[in-house]
Amino acid sequence: MDANDFLLIGVGGGLGSLLRWQLGRVIDRLLGTAFKFSTLTINLSGALVIAYLSTLLAIGWEHRYGTVVTSLLLTGLLGGYTTFSTMQLDAVQTSRANGHALAVVYLVCSVGGGLLAAAAGVALARSQGVGP
Amino acid sequence: MTTASVLVFVGGGAGAVVRELLVLALGRYSAAFPVDIFAANMLASFLLGLVFGLHQVRRTSDNVALLISTGFCGGMSTFSTFAFGAYSEMASPGEFGLSLLYVIASLVMGYGVTLLGLQTAAQFRRA
């Protein structure tokens, strides 16, 4: 990893974070409920896109830098756009305000949905005749 | 751009770079259980709990909270690689069990360290 990769990851991470922040505010305004649809929507869409693009371009999930696509787009932008920490904070706050059951439902929807979104991204790319 | 946007951009960019420094440092130990992404997600979750909690008790300003919570912690942690990596390894022969362990450990420990961060911050509540 060289200085160029750091720059691309930093710029991508910054842009992805801005996108997450703004989109999250819009979704919270439209669907401001006890269930955090904003983080869920952001994370599931990010998982779908990274799986689709990686499969389309034959890039493994562990390939994180070296090209503009891996450094800027996958590791930087999509990494900054999605968030694991906010998902956990959402779960703790949901548990405190609405009980453990809703928090468990939220985490299961996030992680189960994330795995399904990744599977859907891979399947979508393969249906276009690319990938292994 | 407004001040808030600059804070989110700078924090998010720095967080993403720190995440990749962890990948550089720990990547060689990573396989179906990616300890590098795991470490980035756990550290960011603890820090988010801590800074969010400090902001709630008014020990940090709105701008610092935006820079660290929305920017840095959001940029340092990643859900896309977490989900795609876990799915890829689950679909690989012989890696399902370890990848499932990665998902469960990430969920349980991530929740625990977020709570720990919040509780640590509560100690700083002004008397």
Side-chain angles (χ1 to χ4, degrees):
Chain A
M1 195 152 114
D2 58 25
N4 197 40
D5 289 313
F6 279 113
L7 185 69
L8 291 175
I9 288 169
V11 170
L15 290 174
S17 296
L18 275 179
L19 189 60
R20 162 168 47 79
W21 179 50
Q22 289 298 336
L23 184 61
R25 284 176 13 153
V26 170
I27 296 172
D28 278 339
R29 205 176 303 138
L30 293 173
L31 298 168
T33 58
F35 198 86
K36 288 287 281 185
F37 283 104
S38 50
T39 314
L40 188 70
T41 306
I42 285 162
N43 281 344
L44 298 196
S45 59
L48 179 83
V49 172
I50 200 171
Y52 173 72
L53 284 180
S54 299
T55 307
L56 196 69
L57 303 170
I59 298 168
W61 69 270
E62 70 280 26
H63 296 144
R64 304 194 55 79
Y65 37 79
T67 67
V68 172
V69 172
T70 51
S71 299
L72 181 79
L73 197 60
L74 301 181
T75 298
L77 199 111
L78 284 170
Y81 170 65
T82 62
T83 173
F84 183 91
S85 51
T86 304
M87 174 189 79
Q88 293 288 12
L89 182 63
D90 287 349
V92 173
Q93 287 187 294
T94 301
S95 173
R96 285 178 172 179
N98 305 93
H100 292 314
L102 191 63
V104 170
V105 169
Y106 172 72
L107 283 178
V108 168
C109 282
S110 293
V111 174
L115 292 172
L116 286 176
V122 171
L124 187 64
R126 285 184 184 163
S127 75
Q128 297 175 336
V130 294
Chain B
M1 288 212 289
T2 62
T3 307
S5 299
V6 173
L7 292 170
V8 172
F9 179 84
V10 170
V17 168
V18 169
R19 161 162 46 86
E20 291 315 298
L21 288 174
L22 278 170
V23 170
L24 275 186
L26 301 173
R28 72 193 113 140
Y29 305 111
S30 297
F33 193 116
V35 291
D36 46 8
I37 299 297
F38 181 77
N41 281 341
M42 294 308 112
L43 287 170
S45 295
F46 175 77
L47 186 62
L48 178 60
L50 183 69
V51 175
F52 184 85
L54 288 174
H55 186 237
Q56 275 190 320
V57 298
R58 299 280 163 241
R59 287 299 184 114
T60 51
S61 67
D62 292 351
N63 280 348
V64 169
L66 207 54
L67 177 75
I68 308 286
S69 300
T70 308
F72 189 82
C73 294
M76 183 178 174
S77 70
T78 174
F79 185 88
S80 52
T81 300
F82 165 73
F84 180 46
Y87 169 74
S88 297
E89 293 301 327
M90 280 179 178
S92 306
E95 305 283 20
F96 184 86
L98 197 55
S99 189
L100 184 65
L101 179 70
Y102 165 60
V103 170
I104 293 170
S106 297
L107 263 182
V108 174
M109 262 193 70
Y111 190 90
V113 295
T114 305
L115 209 53
L116 188 67
L118 282 167
Q119 285 167 351
T120 306
Q123 308 296 315
F124 292 89
R125 189 184 295 275
R126 285 193 178 89

